[in-house]
Tab-separated table of all heavy atoms in Angstrom:
chain	number	residue	atom	x	y	z
A	1055	LEU	N	59.354	-36.944	46.500
A	1055	LEU	CA	58.081	-37.260	45.825
A	1055	LEU	C	57.045	-37.896	46.711
A	1055	LEU	O	55.878	-37.527	46.737
A	1055	LEU	CB	58.410	-38.192	44.644
A	1055	LEU	CG	57.223	-38.507	43.665
A	1055	LEU	CD1	56.774	-37.313	42.927
A	1055	LEU	CD2	57.686	-39.626	42.753
A	1056	ALA	N	57.498	-38.844	47.573
A	1056	ALA	CA	56.592	-39.498	48.472
A	1056	ALA	C	56.046	-38.567	49.566
A	1056	ALA	O	54.979	-38.630	50.023
A	1056	ALA	CB	57.318	-40.680	49.197
A	1057	ARG	N	56.888	-37.548	49.934
A	1057	ARG	CA	56.484	-36.601	51.010
A	1057	ARG	C	55.427	-35.644	50.473
A	1057	ARG	O	54.511	-35.212	51.182
A	1057	ARG	CB	57.705	-35.828	51.478
A	1057	ARG	CG	57.411	-34.802	52.495
A	1057	ARG	CD	58.680	-34.186	53.105
A	1057	ARG	NE	59.573	-33.693	52.134
A	1057	ARG	CZ	60.716	-34.213	51.729
A	1057	ARG	NH1	61.116	-35.490	52.264
A	1057	ARG	NH2	61.475	-33.671	50.805
A	1058	ASN	N	55.492	-35.244	49.173
A	1058	ASN	CA	54.583	-34.280	48.664
A	1058	ASN	C	53.251	-34.904	48.107
A	1058	ASN	O	52.188	-34.287	48.204
A	1058	ASN	CB	55.218	-33.392	47.543
A	1058	ASN	CG	56.336	-32.529	48.083
A	1058	ASN	OD1	56.230	-31.976	49.098
A	1058	ASN	ND2	57.435	-32.442	47.283
A	1059	CYS	N	53.414	-36.067	47.445
A	1059	CYS	CA	52.203	-36.718	46.864
A	1059	CYS	C	51.605	-37.699	47.842
A	1059	CYS	O	51.832	-38.961	47.728
A	1059	CYS	CB	52.625	-37.372	45.559
A	1059	CYS	SG	53.269	-36.229	44.311
A	1060	MET	N	50.888	-37.280	48.782
A	1060	MET	CA	50.329	-38.059	49.867
A	1060	MET	C	49.180	-38.912	49.387
A	1060	MET	O	48.845	-39.966	50.046
A	1060	MET	CB	49.944	-37.177	51.006
A	1060	MET	CG	51.091	-36.375	51.651
A	1060	MET	SD	52.355	-37.383	52.311
A	1060	MET	CE	51.471	-38.219	53.710
A	1061	ARG	N	48.576	-38.544	48.304
A	1061	ARG	CA	47.466	-39.347	47.811
A	1061	ARG	C	47.839	-40.357	46.684
A	1061	ARG	O	46.919	-40.834	46.056
A	1061	ARG	CB	46.296	-38.375	47.317
A	1061	ARG	CG	45.867	-37.400	48.256
A	1061	ARG	CD	44.880	-36.439	47.668
A	1061	ARG	NE	44.386	-35.396	48.621
A	1061	ARG	CZ	43.528	-34.491	48.299
A	1061	ARG	NH1	42.945	-34.461	47.002
A	1061	ARG	NH2	43.144	-33.644	49.213
A	1062	LEU	N	49.077	-40.604	46.528
A	1062	LEU	CA	49.540	-41.515	45.453
A	1062	LEU	C	48.987	-42.941	45.708
A	1062	LEU	O	49.169	-43.457	46.800
A	1062	LEU	CB	51.006	-41.501	45.402
A	1062	LEU	CG	51.716	-41.859	44.085
A	1062	LEU	CD1	51.209	-41.029	42.957
A	1062	LEU	CD2	53.167	-41.975	44.201
A	1063	GLN	N	48.399	-43.479	44.716
A	1063	GLN	CA	47.834	-44.821	44.780
A	1063	GLN	C	48.632	-45.833	43.908
A	1063	GLN	O	48.655	-47.016	44.247
A	1063	GLN	CB	46.387	-44.861	44.364
A	1063	GLN	CG	45.484	-43.999	45.320
A	1063	GLN	CD	44.075	-43.933	44.854
A	1063	GLN	OE1	43.716	-44.438	43.802
A	1063	GLN	NE2	43.174	-43.253	45.598
A	1064	VAL	N	49.140	-45.346	42.746
A	1064	VAL	CA	49.861	-46.235	41.848
A	1064	VAL	C	51.251	-45.616	41.572
A	1064	VAL	O	51.307	-44.473	41.219
A	1064	VAL	CB	49.114	-46.451	40.527
A	1064	VAL	CG1	49.900	-47.330	39.562
A	1064	VAL	CG2	47.723	-47.008	40.799
A	1065	LEU	N	52.348	-46.367	41.830
A	1065	LEU	CA	53.660	-45.899	41.544
A	1065	LEU	C	54.396	-46.990	40.712
A	1065	LEU	O	54.496	-48.116	41.048
A	1065	LEU	CB	54.441	-45.740	42.844
A	1065	LEU	CG	55.845	-45.314	42.727
A	1065	LEU	CD1	56.031	-43.929	42.022
A	1065	LEU	CD2	56.559	-45.238	44.161
A	1066	GLU	N	54.996	-46.476	39.566
A	1066	GLU	CA	55.751	-47.337	38.671
A	1066	GLU	C	57.164	-46.741	38.659
A	1066	GLU	O	57.362	-45.559	38.327
A	1066	GLU	CB	55.153	-47.400	37.286
A	1066	GLU	CG	55.964	-48.289	36.354
A	1066	GLU	CD	55.319	-48.319	34.977
A	1066	GLU	OE1	54.283	-47.669	34.757
A	1066	GLU	OE2	55.873	-49.062	34.123
A	1067	LEU	N	58.160	-47.596	38.848
A	1067	LEU	CA	59.615	-47.207	38.738
A	1067	LEU	C	60.142	-48.039	37.636
A	1067	LEU	O	60.205	-49.321	37.620
A	1067	LEU	CB	60.295	-47.548	40.064
A	1067	LEU	CG	59.783	-46.800	41.275
A	1067	LEU	CD1	60.520	-47.186	42.518
A	1067	LEU	CD2	59.765	-45.314	41.118
A	1068	ASP	N	60.663	-47.388	36.622
A	1068	ASP	CA	61.191	-47.985	35.424
A	1068	ASP	C	62.668	-47.764	35.249
A	1068	ASP	O	63.079	-46.553	35.159
A	1068	ASP	CB	60.417	-47.485	34.173
A	1068	ASP	CG	60.677	-48.255	32.945
A	1068	ASP	OD1	61.622	-49.077	32.912
A	1068	ASP	OD2	59.978	-48.011	31.907
A	1069	HIS	N	63.489	-48.776	35.177
A	1069	HIS	CA	64.952	-48.677	35.005
A	1069	HIS	C	65.569	-47.750	36.076
A	1069	HIS	O	66.365	-46.898	35.762
A	1069	HIS	CB	65.243	-48.228	33.637
A	1069	HIS	CG	65.086	-49.234	32.521
A	1069	HIS	ND1	63.917	-49.432	31.943
A	1069	HIS	CD2	65.925	-50.110	32.057
A	1069	HIS	CE1	63.927	-50.391	31.076
A	1069	HIS	NE2	65.214	-50.862	31.069
A	1070	VAL	N	65.110	-47.898	37.258
A	1070	VAL	CA	65.695	-47.132	38.355
A	1070	VAL	C	66.828	-48.011	39.034
A	1070	VAL	O	66.818	-49.215	38.857
A	1070	VAL	CB	64.633	-46.857	39.451
A	1070	VAL	CG1	65.188	-46.017	40.636
A	1070	VAL	CG2	63.504	-45.969	38.820
A	1071	SER	N	67.739	-47.342	39.691
A	1071	SER	CA	68.759	-48.137	40.358
A	1071	SER	C	68.180	-49.078	41.378
A	1071	SER	O	67.042	-48.952	41.722
A	1071	SER	CB	69.739	-47.176	41.017
A	1071	SER	OG	70.331	-46.304	40.093
A	1072	GLU	N	68.968	-49.897	41.920
A	1072	GLU	CA	68.506	-50.955	42.730
A	1072	GLU	C	67.681	-50.469	43.996
A	1072	GLU	O	68.120	-49.468	44.615
A	1072	GLU	CB	69.629	-51.817	43.333
A	1072	GLU	CG	69.277	-52.955	44.178
A	1072	GLU	CD	70.455	-53.781	44.647
A	1072	GLU	OE1	71.553	-53.375	44.459
A	1072	GLU	OE2	70.162	-54.935	45.187
A	1073	VAL	N	66.566	-51.024	44.201
A	1073	VAL	CA	65.701	-50.692	45.394
A	1073	VAL	C	65.948	-51.713	46.420
A	1073	VAL	O	65.442	-52.858	46.340
A	1073	VAL	CB	64.266	-50.611	44.953
A	1073	VAL	CG1	63.385	-50.257	46.137
A	1073	VAL	CG2	64.012	-49.564	43.860
A	1074	ASN	N	66.666	-51.304	47.413
A	1074	ASN	CA	66.970	-52.206	48.514
A	1074	ASN	C	66.162	-51.840	49.797
A	1074	ASN	O	65.314	-50.929	49.721
A	1074	ASN	CB	68.519	-52.227	48.878
A	1074	ASN	CG	69.020	-50.794	48.974
A	1074	ASN	OD1	68.298	-49.858	49.423
A	1074	ASN	ND2	70.271	-50.672	48.685
A	1075	GLN	N	66.431	-52.431	50.941
A	1075	GLN	CA	65.679	-52.226	52.149
A	1075	GLN	C	65.896	-50.736	52.592
A	1075	GLN	O	64.900	-50.137	53.100
A	1075	GLN	CB	66.085	-53.155	53.191
A	1075	GLN	CG	65.228	-53.030	54.473
A	1075	GLN	CD	65.624	-54.007	55.449
A	1075	GLN	OE1	66.636	-54.774	55.327
A	1075	GLN	NE2	64.904	-54.108	56.575
A	1076	GLU	N	67.022	-50.147	52.450
A	1076	GLU	CA	67.342	-48.765	52.835
A	1076	GLU	C	66.456	-47.834	52.036
A	1076	GLU	O	65.851	-46.835	52.568
A	1076	GLU	CB	68.760	-48.477	52.668
A	1076	GLU	CG	69.131	-47.048	53.031
A	1076	GLU	CD	70.615	-46.703	52.822
A	1076	GLU	OE1	71.321	-47.623	52.352
A	1076	GLU	OE2	70.990	-45.537	53.098
A	1077	VAL	N	66.363	-47.990	50.706
A	1077	VAL	CA	65.542	-47.137	49.890
A	1077	VAL	C	64.012	-47.265	50.261
A	1077	VAL	O	63.306	-46.241	50.353
A	1077	VAL	CB	65.739	-47.420	48.404
A	1077	VAL	CG1	64.862	-46.553	47.543
A	1077	VAL	CG2	67.227	-47.160	47.978
A	1078	ALA	N	63.620	-48.436	50.487
A	1078	ALA	CA	62.191	-48.696	50.802
A	1078	ALA	C	61.863	-48.057	52.150
A	1078	ALA	O	60.748	-47.444	52.288
A	1078	ALA	CB	61.922	-50.203	50.826
A	1079	ALA	N	62.748	-48.152	53.148
A	1079	ALA	CA	62.486	-47.546	54.431
A	1079	ALA	C	62.418	-46.009	54.330
A	1079	ALA	O	61.541	-45.410	54.950
A	1079	ALA	CB	63.554	-47.991	55.364
A	1080	GLU	N	63.302	-45.420	53.550
A	1080	GLU	CA	63.352	-43.929	53.480
A	1080	GLU	C	62.103	-43.425	52.768
A	1080	GLU	O	61.427	-42.452	53.111
A	1080	GLU	CB	64.573	-43.542	52.771
A	1080	GLU	CG	64.766	-42.010	52.617
A	1080	GLU	CD	64.974	-41.335	53.905
A	1080	GLU	OE1	65.452	-42.026	54.894
A	1080	GLU	OE2	64.742	-40.062	54.027
A	1081	VAL	N	61.676	-44.043	51.685
A	1081	VAL	CA	60.549	-43.682	50.964
A	1081	VAL	C	59.215	-43.861	51.716
A	1081	VAL	O	58.379	-42.940	51.779
A	1081	VAL	CB	60.432	-44.396	49.605
A	1081	VAL	CG1	59.173	-44.083	48.884
A	1081	VAL	CG2	61.638	-44.046	48.676
A	1082	CYS	N	59.078	-44.964	52.378
A	1082	CYS	CA	57.936	-45.222	53.160
A	1082	CYS	C	57.844	-44.340	54.331
A	1082	CYS	O	56.674	-44.093	54.917
A	1082	CYS	CB	57.801	-46.651	53.586
A	1082	CYS	SG	57.611	-47.813	52.156
A	1083	ARG	N	58.950	-43.866	54.901
A	1083	ARG	CA	58.927	-42.992	56.090
A	1083	ARG	C	58.316	-41.658	55.765
A	1083	ARG	O	57.640	-41.003	56.505
A	1083	ARG	CB	60.347	-42.836	56.565
A	1083	ARG	CG	60.447	-41.901	57.868
A	1083	ARG	CD	61.863	-41.625	58.364
A	1083	ARG	NE	62.558	-42.903	58.576
A	1083	ARG	CZ	63.590	-43.250	57.803
A	1083	ARG	NH1	64.026	-42.510	56.789
A	1083	ARG	NH2	64.209	-44.440	58.074
Side-chain angles (χ1 to χ4, degrees):
L1055 185 66
R1057 180 171 54 254
N1058 293 321
C1059 301
M1060 299 298 295
R1061 302 179 182 180
L1062 201 61
Q1063 298 177 356
V1064 179
L1065 176 61
E1066 180 180 0
L1067 302 178
D1068 190 350
H1069 286 88
V1070 180
S1071 303
E1072 183 181 9
V1073 177
N1074 50 29
Q1075 185 178 6
E1076 180 183 359
V1077 175
E1080 183 67 22
V1081 173
C1082 292
R1083 184 185 302 112

